[in-house]
Amino acid sequence: MNMFDGYHVIYIEDDPPVRSSVAQTLELSGLAVKAFGTAEDALPHITEGAQAIVITDVRLPRMDGMTLLEKVQEIDAGLPVVVVTAHGDISMAVRAMRAGAYDFLEKPFDPERFVETAIRALDKRVMRMALEDLRTQLQQRIGIESVLLGHSSAMQEVRRKVLRLAATSADVMILGETGTGKELVARCLHDQSNRRDRNFVAINCGGLPETLFESELFGHEPGAFTSAGKRRIGKIEHANGGTLLLDEIESMPIQMQIKLLRVLQERKLERLGSNEELPINLRVVAATKCDLRELSEQQKFRADLYYRLNVAQVQLPPLRERREDIPLLFEYFVGQAAERYELSAPELSPERLRDLMAHDWPGNVREIRNAADRFVLEGDLGELLADAGSDPVPLAQQMDKVEKALIEQALQRCQGRMQDVMQQLGTPKKTLYDKLHRHGIDPGRFR
């Protein structure tokens, strides 16, 4: 795999033998090169958003390398420029770096070091272009895509399933680790359904003392127990006509499970202290991070309630299984935090982006949102990402994820039209189809 397909090095050197030799060295390393003898000849090829980097000698006839660097900065400040200086000309190297050069090389240079520098600069450009693509995507997202963010195939499947289930009245079970966004999915089920004008009521079963559980869920009449001074409408009744989310349902006391099962079977409710049955029409969404079937086999959760709730199931993947969504989520939460705290959003460097993708995010989306807040407030992620090194994701695997994400973005933008995708990615037909096959991407999904 060459992750720099579609990218090239714009190389400017006025000495023909050096120019030819260096261009050949880059090509033998698998990099595409456009070589020029003057800055004037190279300039028309340097455009905003170009999938390229610039390597230029400082000493050139007419326009010199430093002037070219300034012009590149005006065209696209994110386009990396490597400046080649004369041996020992430290002041020129310092000037170039201050003026925004990505790096500098001294003549005579070691060909291997030259190629390494070019690869690092290209790597930075690829990552920056990925970030720009993500920002554009965020601005274009509408409907469910603006809530359940992610372009991984796993999240596309979650969105499809949510939209399919929202159109039905089926009760739903949402499975996912802490912080994966179970309540968000429940809200989407409600908002995309014909119940959207009625109440969405969420109750955390793990956060209620057992003594208050029954009154909270079922409500009570005055005098139903010592402190019941007036009638209280319970959560189930409040959700009538709408959606009731029972989060951390594995924490619900067994006695409550029996009573809830009866409500679900008969779709009728009795308040505490009342003999009157109220008809109930609601969708129940149960959310859990546990295997309820296993708990029911251990008799820690009622099997009949499990089967009653598990009519339809939405499984939320943890963030470590959809790493290609990490940059999109982080950018989104950084934007939100910047707005909330009335601060400007710090620039996310490609190096930090790779660190983000290498981190395992045990707290999932909730953790990445907190990290984005900290990034906006403190401008750094050092402490958080220092732990990421314990089990690093290999660079090739990270780049694979980025490449897959970029191809899926292009397919989405071009609505699956392969000719347009090839043009946009600057990738030949065979290469693109090889990548689609390797990443398991079906272009038909985007048409």
Side-chain angles (χ1 to χ4, degrees):
M1 177 195 88
N2 183 357
M3 64 153 292
F4 300 131
D5 279 350
Y7 284 76
H8 59 273
V9 178
I10 295 171
Y11 176 52
I12 305 121
E13 165 61 65
D14 63 326
D15 184 335
V18 174
R19 184 168 70 244
S20 166
S21 159
V22 169
Q24 196 175 19
T25 302
L26 289 169
E27 280 163 357
L28 287 171
S29 303
L31 305 179
V33 188
K34 289 182 181 175
F36 302 95
T38 68
E40 286 82 357
D41 290 343
L43 260 177
H45 300 266
I46 299 168
T47 55
E48 189 179 3
Q51 293 186 318
I53 62 159
V54 175
I55 302 181
T56 181
D57 200 85
V58 166
R59 297 181 183 216
L60 294 169
R62 301 190 298 280
M63 187 192 298
D64 68 4
M66 291 301 288
T67 310
L68 177 63
L69 171 61
E70 280 171 35
K71 290 199 176 293
V72 174
Q73 294 271 296
E74 286 165 19
I75 294 165
D76 184 339
L79 208 157
V81 178
V82 177
V83 171
V84 181
T85 65
H87 175 62
D89 196 347
I90 298 300
S91 62
M92 180 62 81
V94 170
R95 262 183 65 205
M97 296 301 281
R98 280 188 182 150
Y102 170 72
D103 206 345
F104 70 93
L105 287 160
E106 273 188 301
K107 280 186 174 178
F109 43 75
D110 170 43
E112 267 185 36
R113 175 142 189 268
F114 193 99
V115 171
E116 277 169 22
T117 306
I119 286 172
R120 274 192 294 107
L122 278 164
D123 192 23
K124 183 184 174 80
R125 185 61 172 168
V126 168
M127 298 303 272
R128 176 177 278 273
M129 296 298 281
L131 278 174
E132 292 301 326
D133 257 1
L134 292 167
R135 288 192 184 109
T136 307
Q137 269 199 19
L138 280 172
Q139 288 157 7
Q140 292 169 346
R141 291 190 178 277
I142 52 166
I144 192 170
E145 289 199 10
S146 65
V147 182
L148 298 181
L149 290 170
H151 47 236
S152 61
S153 50
M155 279 313 287
Q156 287 180 27
E157 181 52 38
V158 167
R159 286 195 294 268
R160 271 197 295 275
K161 203 161 199 181
V162 167
L163 288 173
R164 205 162 54 238
L165 290 172
T168 73
S169 59
D171 292 336
V172 178
M173 187 174 286
I174 303 172
L175 303 174
E177 292 178 7
T178 301
T180 45
K182 297 187 286 291
E183 182 168 341
L184 202 57
V185 169
R187 281 187 182 277
C188 276
L189 279 165
H190 177 76
D191 293 341
Q192 301 291 330
S193 75
N194 57 9
R195 298 176 179 274
R196 68 181 72 88
D197 297 330
R198 306 303 292 270
N199 292 332
F200 172 86
V201 179
I203 186 163
N204 188 314
C205 302
L208 271 181
E210 200 164 328
T211 47
L212 293 178
F213 221 111
E214 193 168 7
S215 159
E216 193 70 23
L217 265 185
F218 299 93
H220 60 248
E221 293 292 345
F225 48 89
T226 316
S227 59
K230 54 184 181 179
R231 173 185 283 177
R232 177 185 171 83
I233 302 295
K235 298 287 189 188
I236 296 175
E237 193 177 339
H238 187 49
N240 198 7
T243 306
L244 175 70
L245 167 65
L246 297 168
D247 202 1
E248 294 186 31
I249 194 161
E250 71 278 3
S251 315
M252 184 178 277
I254 292 286
Q255 279 308 108
M256 284 303 101
Q257 291 180 30
I258 296 166
K259 294 192 175 189
L260 176 65
L261 180 64
R262 186 167 169 266
V263 171
L264 295 182
Q265 282 171 340
E266 298 176 16
R267 298 285 157 168
K268 287 177 182 170
L269 171 79
E270 277 181 26
R271 294 190 202 107
L272 274 175
S274 167
N275 295 320
E276 188 191 345
E277 287 189 323
L278 304 165
I280 292 293
N281 167 17
L282 82 172
R283 183 210 295 274
V284 175
V285 179
T288 181
K289 58 179 180 289
C290 300
D291 184 337
L292 291 187
R293 186 173 188 166
E294 199 178 298
L295 288 180
S296 67
E297 283 166 6
Q298 295 166 7
Q299 299 189 327
K300 291 177 181 172
F301 194 87
R302 285 194 63 101
D304 43 9
L305 179 58
Y306 164 69
Y307 290 115
R308 186 70 193 72
L309 289 169
N310 198 26
V311 177
Q313 199 180 89
V314 176
Q315 201 132 16
L316 286 180
L319 214 41
R320 64 184 173 277
E321 286 176 17
R322 54 179 186 112
R323 289 182 192 273
E324 57 266 54
D325 290 338
I326 289 168
L328 180 69
L329 287 162
F330 190 75
E331 284 282 303
Y332 174 74
F333 290 129
V334 162
Q336 278 198 332
E339 205 174 309
R340 193 162 61 249
Y341 300 123
E342 297 180 351
L343 292 167
S344 58
E347 185 71 20
L348 179 66
S349 70
E351 292 76 21
R352 272 303 186 224
L353 172 61
R354 192 173 295 119
D355 290 343
L356 286 173
M357 289 184 80
H359 187 53
D360 261 356
W361 302 105
N364 294 294
V365 179
R366 189 177 298 139
E367 185 186 357
I368 207 168
R369 187 177 61 219
N370 293 343
D373 272 31
R374 198 185 319 169
F375 184 58
V376 169
L377 290 169
E378 300 171 14
D380 188 42
L381 291 165
E383 197 180 310
L384 168 75
L385 297 174
D387 306 334
S390 55
D391 188 15
V393 178
L395 177 62
Q397 199 178 321
Q398 292 174 45
M399 298 319 296
D400 251 13
K401 292 282 188 189
V402 173
E403 182 178 80
K404 184 183 179 194
L406 290 173
I407 293 170
E408 287 184 335
Q409 285 169 28
L411 280 162
Q412 214 154 17
R413 277 198 305 271
C414 302
Q415 296 173 325
R417 292 186 300 275
M418 296 306 289
Q419 202 60 43
D420 294 351
V421 173
M422 284 186 280
Q423 201 172 347
Q424 195 165 101
L425 295 175
T427 307
K429 187 175 181 178
K430 185 183 180 312
T431 309
L432 182 58
Y433 276 95
D434 284 350
K435 290 179 187 299
L436 290 173
H437 177 69
R438 193 164 48 77
H439 293 305
I441 302 169
D442 173 17
R445 279 203 338 250
F446 301 87
R447 290 185 186 124

